Amino acid sequence: MKGVVMLVNEFPPIPTGGAERQAERLAMYLKNNGWPVWVITRRIDGLPARQNYQGLEIVRPLTVGFGKLKTITFVLGTLFLLWKLRSKYEILHAHLVYGPAFAAMLAARFLGKRVIVKLGNSGEFGDVQHSQRTLRGRLRLAMLRRWADVIIALDDTIYNEILSVGINPKQIRRISNGINVGNFFPLQTRIEAKKNLGLTNKVVMIFVGRLSPQKSLPTLLQALERALTSSPNLHLLLIGDGPDFVTLEDQVQLLGLRDCVEFLGNQSDVRPYLNAADIFVLPSKSEGISNALLEAMSAGLACVVTTVGGNFEILDQGRCGVLLPPGDVSAWSNSLIELANDPEKRQAL
């Protein structure tokens, strides 16, 4: 059996986002079912050029410089690796429409391989709209139209965005993200989990994700400040890291939230925190199919998210959770107060 090459900007063992975690799960699934799998990802300081990670062969081509030069050298290095491996694989699977997808489509075109490109987000931070803003992004979309054998859309919003840039519907497959729900089923009571974290008698909210503009966390912090006047036992756990960390720390200080907001950084295992939480919050401006939301639902949390991306589908149009407009501080504050003061509703959700 010939193999599959997965191409993705980031890959474990470094902390990764949802798209990269899905790439890891898919790569492991293929490997465990007898497929030879290689992973090509960007070079990271401190990590080797080649690495065996849980049975996967990870290759990191040499890159030099910064910005566009770094991307160009990554693409060239990837093309050379794909040429060297050409007799060992038939399928290239690129995650997100950026440098790895560009290299995958070029290689597939000239080496006679098949290529799958999976899109990760919709909206202003999504693959399509982000690509439309630059010349090289529009070039990637043109290549997607001509050279991609299959394009994976996670939800209806991404599907419609792909159609809007002239992609043939026959190229598109609707495949949602998924997780092993059994991995997140609570192993202890919420009372026990809260006691272990020193959060007894708190109504615990949890956010898991990248601290970036896409997640719109300033909206959440402003809403929390308002909600505390009616629900002073609210407590927020922020799990993750990212470019907005310092700005968010400053906002917490400015709003007087130091005693009820914890920055916990990246965590290799989020389950102890999910077990202790009552409410999962995701105030994003754009999403695909959120891994963090799926995990929170599997852990039995009431979920409050924005009306973007696949959130509609995951929460069954609001029947399985609370859907709120992005950026609406009043709506978020009112919802947090309602859930904080109504344990029966939290349990129902």
Side-chain angles (χ1 to χ4, degrees), residues 31-220:
K31 179 189 75 70
N32 291 337
N33 283 273
W35 286 75
V37 180
W38 292 263
V39 178
I40 296 179
T41 187
R42 290 184 183 269
R43 181 73 64 92
I44 301 293
D45 290 342
L47 292 178
R50 302 185 77 97
Q51 180 180 14
N52 186 287
Y53 173 77
Q54 298 184 9
L56 297 172
E57 183 72 17
I58 302 177
V59 189
R60 303 179 180 94
L62 179 66
T63 55
V64 298
F66 300 93
K68 293 180 181 178
L69 178 59
K70 190 172 184 178
T71 297
I72 291 169
T73 55
F74 169 76
V75 169
L76 292 175
T78 297
L79 290 172
F80 177 69
L81 285 171
L82 292 174
W83 177 79
K84 286 180 66 178
L85 291 170
R86 65 191 182 280
S87 64
K88 298 181 178 180
Y89 67 89
E90 287 296 330
I91 299 171
L92 296 166
H93 192 321
H95 296 260
L96 308 181
V97 187
Y98 302 112
F102 185 84
M105 288 186 287
L106 279 176
R109 174 72 173 178
F110 294 107
L111 296 175
K113 307 296 182 181
R114 308 298 294 276
V115 62
I116 301 168
V117 179
K118 179 181 178 181
L119 277 64
N121 280 286
S122 59
E124 64 177 297
F125 294 93
D127 303 62
V128 172
Q129 290 191 31
H130 186 271
S131 295
Q132 287 178 309
R133 296 186 194 118
T134 64
L135 178 60
R136 60 177 174 167
R138 292 190 291 273
L139 174 60
R140 289 194 301 265
L141 293 176
M143 293 171 66
L144 204 64
R145 284 192 293 269
R146 292 172 175 264
W147 294 350
D149 294 290
V150 170
I151 302 164
I152 296 176
L154 298 177
D155 58 52
D156 289 341
T157 307
I158 294 176
Y159 182 91
N160 290 329
E161 285 190 356
I162 298 171
L163 289 179
S164 74
V165 291
I167 305 292
N168 188 328
K170 293 181 179 180
Q171 294 172 266
I172 308 171
R173 304 290 185 275
R174 273 281 281 106
I175 305 175
S176 293
N177 283 340
I179 64 167
N180 183 340
V181 296
N183 289 344
F184 297 92
F185 190 83
L187 298 178
Q188 58 184 166
T189 68
R190 188 163 284 131
I191 292 174
E192 291 171 331
K194 286 184 180 181
K195 183 178 179 181
N196 291 339
L197 296 177
L199 297 172
T200 300
N201 297 325
K202 298 291 186 182
V203 176
V204 179
M205 302 185 300
I206 186 171
F207 166 86
V208 182
R210 187 164 166 76
L211 308 184
S212 67
Q214 176 184 342
K215 302 301 183 180
S216 193
L217 289 168
T219 297
L220 178 61

Side-chain angles (χ1 to χ4, degrees), residues 226-286:
R226 294 189 188 183
L228 284 169
T229 59
S230 301
S231 306
N233 57 342
L234 279 167
H235 192 89
L236 174 61
L237 305 178
L238 295 171
I239 295 181
D241 202 353
D244 280 3
F245 172 69
V246 173
T247 302
L248 293 170
E249 266 199 324
D250 290 343
Q251 186 180 9
V252 165
Q253 180 77 18
L254 185 64
L255 295 174
L257 300 176
R258 276 193 309 173
D259 294 334
C260 58
V261 176
E262 291 185 65
F263 290 89
L264 298 173
N266 291 314
Q267 297 290 327
S268 59
D269 186 359
V270 299
R271 289 175 293 183
Y273 304 98
L274 291 175
N275 288 346
D278 300 284
I279 304 166
F280 172 80
V281 287
L282 188 66
S284 306
K285 295 178 181 178
S286 70

Side-chain angles (χ1 to χ4, degrees), residues 300-318:
L301 276 65
C303 297
V304 185
V305 306
T306 45
T307 53
V308 299
N311 293 345
F312 277 111
E313 298 170 38
I314 298 175
L315 293 183
D316 196 15
Q317 313 303 312

